[in-house]
Amino acid sequence: MMSSSSSIDWSFGSDDLWLNILSHLDASGLCAVAQTCTFLHDLSLDRFLWAGVLERSRKRVVLVPREVPYTPRDLYRHKKDYDTITEALQAAGALDERHTIYVSPGLYREHLVLDKPIDIIGEGPLGGTIVEGVDGNTLACKADETRVANLVLTQSGFWFCIDIERGSVRIEGCHITNKTLSAIKVAREASPVICDNIIFDTNEAGIAIFGGSGVIERNEFRGNRYGSIEVVYSSSSPIIRQNNIHHNIGYGIHIHSEAKCLIEENEIHHNDSDGVACWGGCTPLIRKNRVHNNKGDGLYLYDNCLGNFVENEVYEQRLDGVRISGASPSLEGNHFHHNEGDGVRLVVGANPILKNNKISENRRVGVHVYREGRGLLEGNLIMGNKNAGVQVYGAGQSVLVENRILGNHCSGIYMSDGAVLEVRGNEVAYNGDAGVEIVSGGSAKIFQLNMIHHNQMVGVAFYPDSKPILLETANKIYKNGDNDGIDEDDDDDEEEEEYNHHHSHHPDEASREMADCATHSVSEASYCLSNASSFSSLHEMCTFEEDDDDEEYDHHHDMEMSSQHSSCCGDIDGDVDMMVSSPVLSSMPKFKAGPQRFNHADLVEREAREMYLQPIKKGMETEIVSFLAEKAIQARQCTFSFTKEYYHAQYWYECRTCSQTRSILGKSELSICETCARTCHKGHELGVRKFGHFYCDCGQITNGQSSCCSMPPAATYIRKTLRKSDSGVKVNFNAINRTMAVSI
């Protein structure tokens, strides 16, 4: 009840004047003034007056019932004060109802155990309230319905910053770091919600999930040594969504040991290793993420990874878009583009399903299969890659069904060195070399219902012993080798579209078989692969001369190049649909090499030819030197003149005297074939001899020419090139769109 003085007019003077006067009162004084009149009563409820009262009367930590509103007057009325967070937690543990702890700005060196429902909230702007663990985990969470917000959580001892042993704690709006271990550990019985935090500069993973679940969303991860998130063990099943994962020292996300998880709509970029690495029988569902600009692979899937990867965009990695080894994942609806390595690489036991993906404008091969890689490729668009659309070798086996392989810089499909493919119902068009090229021991056990057209050089090129099985099945092969592989005529003249129906021939008539296979759709003109380095007509085959000098070269090489390579291309006229190459015969005379002669004393190594042709054993694998590399050595030429930008098994060296700038490795030693080691790089400091799939840096073409003295005259090996720029291949997509209705 107001006093009689309420009849007095107290409203003279401004509100600011009265607030200034009232700010000198304590809580009891404000309550007394509020009883005098309505005017002073209303002023006494001012938030800033009570904030001052609370600040003067409180300790650093305040404990209040959870339902109390966060206003200074309500906090003052219901608070219990403590000097440390630990004291407040102990007091809350004795209470039945759930409470909230408000922590004023400052540094708190404490080890907090959350074993019952509680809220801990830092006051003031984020960054002002710091909790540092020294002698234990900064937070140990063991209860459901716990919330931690607006704190800086650090750890300088050898402990986790936050150890979530069980329960459903919610951690939001915090800055979290750890100088020794991971920032957050999630154990088997835990199911936290971790959202809107910045997790940075940890000595291990940002979040390590050891069997737990929960939701991790809208966080920023950066500067973590072992990446942002590691998910381990079969009981793990977190949801990881809408996080910004960047500039971590390790992986973006690392999943292994049979873990399961859903990873969606994250931005994973500029990490020092792979964007996402999955192995050890894990089965994640990874969808709708943007993975880009990582220094490793975008996705690295190995050791029995069985996950599903759907509608991700993976681009501008410094290595491959996705690398798969010893795993059988499913990839559908993804877009792999503008990666510095391959779009997709399948090696050593890979057997994935790639369906309805777009693989475009990568700096190397669109889909690269080797070392016993396998896989089903169905319904993919493989377009505009700097090397081949699909290259398979090293006992790789794949099934290609109903793909569109368009506008790649080299051949659409390239098979060699023991590759075995099934090729059915594909469209192969507008590629820079052959539509399909089968050389050096490659084979297609099924080859049918394909449409091969408008390729710059030829439709199909193969050696007689590599003739595709079931080539007799109707394949539509037309308009290859003319008008730069792009037909500017809008008319669909059915008379110019020729079906090639090949029939079996008498086995003793090899030469007739070669001619029939090559000429059925191109009148009487036969074509072949002359000296394995350019396409020319059959009458040019007899250009070899016997060489009485029995010098043989042993040249052997190993490396999967990460660098971007220039291309060597030139012109060839005519509408060439199918070509056959000279057979692989050890008795074949060596090519004339030109005026230069080499002395055995100059050889880097002096192994005999028999040793050179011996299989190279790599664990359980057995691999021989590529036929094309062998023929280059016989011709005393750089192996690049035969292999071009395609990768072939051979020996190689690093020349430490020479170096080149690479977009992936920076400034790096030149990798050279054995011919170049004996000629161009004679007297240089060379590394140890290695073996692997490789093409020679020395012989590659730069600015239209090569400085390699072991390359033959340009007319014998250069090929046509698509129009290109520093950023990659430029394809006349307007013509492709007009003719084939390609959706870009």
Side-chain angles (χ1 to χ4, degrees):
M1 179 177 179
M2 301 277 183
S3 66
S4 59
S5 60
S6 60
S7 59
I8 302 174
D9 183 8
W10 295 91
S11 60
F12 62 88
S14 66
D15 290 352
D16 290 340
L17 174 63
W18 279 107
L19 287 173
N20 185 43
I21 295 171
L22 296 178
S23 66
H24 296 282
L25 301 178
D26 59 13
S28 59
L30 285 176
C31 291
V33 169
Q35 300 298 314
T36 59
C37 67
T38 303
F39 173 72
L40 292 179
H41 176 270
D42 293 341
L43 284 181
S44 67
L45 299 178
D46 183 83
R47 178 185 183 91
F48 295 100
L49 288 177
W50 283 100
V53 172
L54 179 64
E55 184 66 25
R56 292 191 296 271
S57 63
R58 65 171 284 179
K59 294 183 179 179
R60 300 175 72 195
V61 181
V62 172
L63 176 68
V64 297
R66 190 187 187 197
E67 65 273 11
V68 172
Y70 184 68
T71 65
R73 183 167 179 266
D74 289 310
L75 289 179
Y76 178 84
R77 293 174 60 194
H78 299 281
K79 70 179 177 68
K80 296 179 180 179
D81 296 305
Y82 303 93
D83 292 317
T84 66
I85 305 172
T86 301
E87 291 176 354
L89 285 171
Q90 292 172 347
L95 302 173
D96 293 333
E97 58 185 2
R98 182 171 176 177
H99 278 63
T100 298
I101 297 174
Y102 292 102
V103 186
S104 61
L107 175 62
Y108 300 80
R109 289 190 171 93
E110 301 188 46
H111 163 54
L112 307 179
V113 179
L114 311 184
D115 54 5
K116 67 173 299 181
I118 192 78
D119 294 349
I120 302 178
I121 301 173
E123 296 182 284
L126 178 59
T129 306
I130 303 170
V131 182
E132 179 181 0
V134 178
D135 298 326
N137 301 311
T138 307
L139 292 181
C141 303
K142 305 178 181 180
D144 290 327
E145 301 181 9
T146 300
R147 176 172 174 249
V148 178
N150 200 46
L151 298 174
V152 175
L153 301 167
T154 71
Q155 173 64 236
S156 57
F158 201 75
W159 304 86
F160 295 106
C161 189
I162 303 175
D163 186 358
I164 308 174
E165 298 180 21
R166 58 181 178 270
S168 55
V169 61
R170 182 181 184 91
I171 301 171
E172 60 181 337
C174 295
H175 288 179
I176 308 169
T177 187
N178 191 342
K179 298 177 181 179
T180 55
L181 300 177
S182 296
I184 302 174
K185 186 199 86 172
V186 180
R188 186 182 301 271
E189 298 179 13
S191 182
V193 175
I194 302 172
C195 60
D196 302 307
N197 304 283
I198 298 177
I199 301 171
F200 64 101
D201 295 344
T202 63
N203 195 50
E204 293 187 354
I207 300 177
I209 302 175
F210 297 109
S213 57
V215 178
I216 301 170
E217 62 182 348
R218 299 189 306 276
N219 302 282
E220 179 183 356
F221 295 85
R222 55 178 167 81
N224 300 293
R225 183 178 177 185
Y226 291 164
S228 65
I229 303 171
E230 181 178 14
V231 186
V232 188
Y233 304 143
S234 59
S235 58
S236 295
S237 57
I239 298 172
I240 302 170
R241 66 160 68 102
Q242 296 178 0
N243 299 283
N244 184 10
I245 300 170
H246 66 95
H247 293 95
N248 294 283
I249 300 171
Y251 300 105
I253 299 177
H254 188 194
I255 309 159
H256 59 94
S257 303
E258 301 182 354
K260 302 177 288 293
C261 58
L262 169 62
I263 299 175
E264 62 180 356
E265 299 178 2
N266 299 281
E267 187 95 1
I268 305 171
H269 61 101
H270 293 94
N271 298 289
D272 286 354
S273 186
D274 307 313
V276 180
C278 304
W279 61 279
C282 66
T283 55
L285 171 58
I286 298 181
R287 66 188 181 193
K288 296 183 179 180
N289 301 280
R290 295 180 67 225
V291 185
H292 61 93
N293 296 103
N294 297 289
K295 292 184 179 180
D297 302 312
L299 308 175
Y300 183 25
L301 318 177
Y302 62 106
D303 187 18
N304 200 33
C305 169
L306 301 172
N308 293 282
F309 300 80
V310 183
E311 297 182 14
N312 301 285
E313 184 179 9
V314 183
Y315 61 97
E316 295 184 3
Q317 320 302 325
R318 292 188 70 180
L319 295 179
D320 304 320
V322 55
R323 179 186 177 99
I324 305 175
S325 173
S328 302
S330 173
L331 295 89
E332 184 170 358
N334 303 284
H335 188 187
F336 303 101
H337 65 94
H338 292 96
N339 297 290
E340 293 291 339
D342 303 320
V344 177
R345 179 180 296 203
L346 311 179
V347 298
V348 192
N351 192 19
I353 297 173
L354 283 85
K355 191 171 183 180
N356 300 328
N357 301 283
K358 185 175 180 181
I359 305 166
S360 64
E361 299 183 84
N362 297 285
R363 299 290 292 184
R364 288 175 58 183
V365 181
V367 180
H368 195 172
V369 187
Y370 63 101
R371 290 184 184 166
E372 300 182 0
R374 304 170 67 89
L376 168 64
L377 282 68
E378 181 178 354
N380 301 285
L381 175 61
I382 304 172
M383 172 182 285
N385 298 288
K386 183 173 175 59
N387 207 290
V390 179
Q391 182 178 0
V392 186
Y393 57 90
Q397 299 185 41
S398 295
V399 178
L400 277 65
V401 180
E402 297 181 358
N403 301 284
R404 306 186 75 194
I405 304 173
L406 311 175
N408 298 286
H409 186 87
C410 297
S411 294
I413 302 173
Y414 186 92
M415 310 175 223
S416 67
D417 298 318
V420 180
L421 271 72
E422 295 183 19
V423 185
R424 301 195 305 267
N426 301 280
E427 180 185 2
V428 186
Y430 303 99
N431 297 290
D433 276 359
V436 178
E437 192 169 350
I438 311 173
V439 300
S440 188
S443 64
K445 62 181 181 181
I446 296 178
F447 193 86
Q448 58 184 335
L449 303 177
N450 301 290
M451 186 163 61
I452 302 171
H453 62 93
H454 291 91
N455 297 287
Q456 290 197 27
M457 306 301 286
V458 292
V460 180
F462 60 91
Y463 287 88
D465 61 350
S466 298
K467 174 186 174 182
I469 299 174
L470 296 183
L471 187 61
E472 295 81 3
T473 305
N475 292 286
K476 194 172 184 179
I477 305 174
Y478 64 96
K479 288 188 178 181
N480 296 286
D482 63 331
N483 195 25
D484 285 339
I486 295 181
D487 185 15
E488 299 295 335
D489 186 1
D490 291 333
D491 297 330
D492 290 328
D493 188 356
E494 293 297 330
E495 294 180 358
E496 295 180 358
E497 299 180 357
E498 303 170 304
Y499 281 92
N500 290 270
H501 302 279
H502 298 279
H503 307 285
S504 60
H505 307 287
H506 194 281
D508 294 333
E509 298 177 344
S511 60
R512 179 179 174 185
E513 178 182 359
M514 291 170 60
D516 288 346
C517 288
T519 62
H520 193 81
S521 63
V522 287
S523 302
E524 298 302 320
S526 296
Y527 291 87
C528 67
L529 204 61
S530 176
N531 79 12
S533 58
S534 66
F535 299 118
S536 57
S537 58
L538 190 62
H539 67 78
E540 297 175 352
M541 276 295 296
C542 300
T543 59
F544 314 120
E545 297 184 17
E546 294 286 354
D547 191 343
D548 294 332
D549 188 352
D550 232 2
E551 293 182 14
E552 305 269 356
Y553 287 52
D554 120 310
H555 50 282
H556 312 230
H557 226 356
D558 165 39
M559 181 167 126
E560 296 151 29
M561 297 295 295
S562 298
S563 62
Q564 53 193 5
H565 291 72
S566 304
S567 72
C568 45
C569 302
D571 286 344
I572 189 167
D573 296 322
D575 187 354
V576 185
D577 288 337
M578 188 164 291
M579 304 195 309
V580 189
S581 169
S582 56
V584 182
L585 298 175
S586 61
S587 60
M588 195 171 192
K590 298 184 288 292
F591 299 112
K592 196 72 174 179
Q596 63 266 42
R597 309 294 293 173
F598 306 106
N599 191 310
H600 256 301
D602 296 332
L603 299 182
V604 179
E605 307 265 349
R606 293 187 178 222
E607 289 81 5
R609 182 172 190 271
E610 290 75 16
M611 179 176 292
Y612 172 72
L613 293 176
Q614 298 229 351
I616 310 302
K617 294 185 178 179
K618 294 183 170 184
M620 298 301 293
E621 297 181 65
T622 299
E623 201 164 13
I624 62 172
V625 173
S626 165
F627 164 74
L628 295 186
E630 177 196 355
K631 299 310 294 183
I633 299 303
Q634 289 182 357
R636 298 169 185 169
Q637 295 175 7
C638 174
T639 58
F640 185 87
S641 64
F642 283 68
T643 67
K644 298 168 282 192
E645 294 110 327
Y646 303 107
Y647 298 88
H648 283 262
Q650 55 183 301
Y651 286 91
W652 65 281
Y653 300 86
E654 286 182 353
C655 180
R656 295 169 181 168
T657 304
C658 303
S659 63
Q660 66 175 4
T661 300
R662 294 178 178 166
S663 62
I664 298 172
L665 303 176
K667 194 172 184 179
S668 178
E669 291 84 1
L670 213 64
S671 299
I672 58 174
C673 69
E674 290 217 326
T675 302
C676 292
R678 297 172 176 83
T679 55
C680 313
H681 301 267
K682 177 181 176 181
H684 292 187
E685 181 186 358
L686 302 181
V688 297
R689 187 180 63 181
K690 303 177 184 178
F691 180 85
H693 298 92
F694 146 91
Y695 65 84
C696 183
D697 286 338
C698 183
Q700 66 179 329
I701 306 306
T702 306
N703 298 325
Q705 62 183 1
S706 172
S707 60
C708 177
C709 64
S710 297
M711 291 291 285
T716 68
Y717 66 88
I718 59 174
R719 303 164 294 161
K720 285 184 179 178
T721 178
L722 295 171
R723 290 171 289 279
K724 60 185 175 100
S725 68
D726 292 338
S727 61
V729 180
K730 288 185 178 179
V731 182
N732 189 340
F733 290 128
N734 291 331
I736 298 178
N737 286 333
R738 183 177 66 249
T739 308
M740 306 310 305
V742 175
S743 176
I744 304 298

